């Protein structure tokens, strides 16, 4: 059965095709209510399906927001996705989602696809990696922005976009200060990839605050931004520090993400080490799955859903400009995983 055409609807309603298009595609030039009602009734009777591209041209908007995340399975990103969807729904927008697994070639391909679909805005969630890759994206976005497209990053600012930036450095500094005040004097770090800005900011904020108290980490190891990355790094750390059950004052290990901290705890458990009796650990992000984790994890709480919502607000704000920045503060939350034995 042939698809119903706009011309069929126009003929059934007794109007021109241009008039039917203005009614069904959302043009601001809508004819009188009686005519509009007649066109809509004819479309419903015939089962006409409007052309999304034609609607976009008529409205100068597709109603689409493109969202690029590194890993949708990571609770950090899934919480941000929830916030983006909440705010997009409230603004009558639909979210197109791409998960890139930190493959920056795939990220660029995803951006190109969103641009080809004429998305009203594109949000990039996650830490940037290198200047060369950012410049490649900047070239991709140049014509898009010239045609009214809007770009927001969640993470460190870049020249071609406005940003919602978590306070990674300041919040990790506050975490180090709180742990020192809590009585900790032995520290170690499980970091992420050295070319990822989020990882270096969190590590540097923590270490620089320790230095103000005359302390330095006993060891630093690094892994991927994942549960498995934290697991493997934690085993190497335990071997380097010669950790054993019931032996001496437990070191306090700062893992730069909660997901890595959870992997670390799993590794230590397999080695017969208990948290916090044999080793203490703190994370960063306060992902939702921590509610079910034992021992409860000391962390820096970011309002991840709120960050996603604010990114959409910024993307749809006509006053925002590339280079503009909003801060997303973090709050230190001390829990059982860093409790010192009495």
């Amino acid at each position: 059965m042939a698809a119903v055409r706009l011309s069929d609807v126009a003929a059934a309603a007794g109007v021109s095709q241009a008039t039917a298009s203005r009614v069904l595609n959302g043009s601001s030039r809508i004819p009188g209510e009686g005519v509009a009602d007649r066109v809509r009734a004819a479309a419903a009777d015939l089962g006409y399906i409007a052309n999304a591209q034609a609607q976009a041209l008529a409205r100068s908007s597709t109603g689409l927001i493109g969202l690029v995340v590194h890993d949708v399975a990571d609770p950090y990103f899934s919480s941000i996705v929830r916030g983006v969807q909440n705010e997009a729904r409230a603004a009558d927008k639909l979210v197109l989602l791409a998960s890139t697994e930190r493959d920056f070639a795939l990220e660029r391909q995803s951006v190109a696809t969103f641009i080809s679909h004429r998305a009203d805005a594109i949000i990039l969630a996650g830490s940037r990696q290198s200047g060369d890759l950012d410049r490649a994206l900047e070239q991709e976005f140049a014509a898009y922005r010239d045609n009214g497209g809007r770009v927001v990053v969640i993470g460190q600012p870049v020249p071609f976009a406005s940003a919602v930036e978590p306070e990674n450095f300041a919040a990790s500094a506050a975490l180090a200060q709180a742990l020192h005040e809590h009585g900790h004097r032995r520290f170690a770090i499980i970091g992420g990839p050295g070319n990822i800005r989020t990882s270096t900011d969190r590590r540097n904020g923590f270490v620089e605050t320790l230095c103000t108290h005359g302390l330095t980490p006993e060891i630093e190891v690094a892994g991927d931004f994942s549960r498995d990355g934290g697991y493997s790094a934690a085993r190497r750390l335990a071997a380097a520090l010669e950790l054993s059950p019931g032996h001496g004052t437990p070191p306090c290990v700062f893992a730069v993400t909660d997901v890595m901290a959870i992997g670390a705890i799993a590794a230590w458990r397999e080695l017969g080490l208990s948290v916090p009796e044999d080793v203490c650990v703190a994370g960063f992000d306060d992902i939702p799955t921590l509610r079910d984790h034992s021992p409860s994890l000391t962390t820096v709480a970011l309002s991840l859903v709120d960050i996603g919502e604010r990114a959409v607000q910024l993307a749809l704000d006509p006053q925002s400009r590339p280079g503009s920045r909003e801060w997303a503060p973090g709050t230190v939350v001390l829990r059982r995983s860093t409790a010192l034995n009495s």
Side-chain angles (χ1 to χ4, degrees), residues 39-82:
V39 170
R40 295 189 188 100
D45 290 342
L46 295 173
Y48 174 73
I49 299 175
N51 184 298
Q53 291 181 328
Q55 289 183 329
L57 288 172
R59 300 171 180 171
S60 298
S61 169
T62 59
L64 302 175
I65 294 177
L67 172 61
V68 181
V69 301
H70 292 323
D71 182 4
V72 73
D74 186 324
Y76 175 90
F77 289 108
S78 61
S79 297
I80 289 174
V81 170
R82 179 182 174 188

Side-chain angles (χ1 to χ4, degrees), residues 58 65 260 266 305:
I65 294 177
M260 296 182 78
V305 173

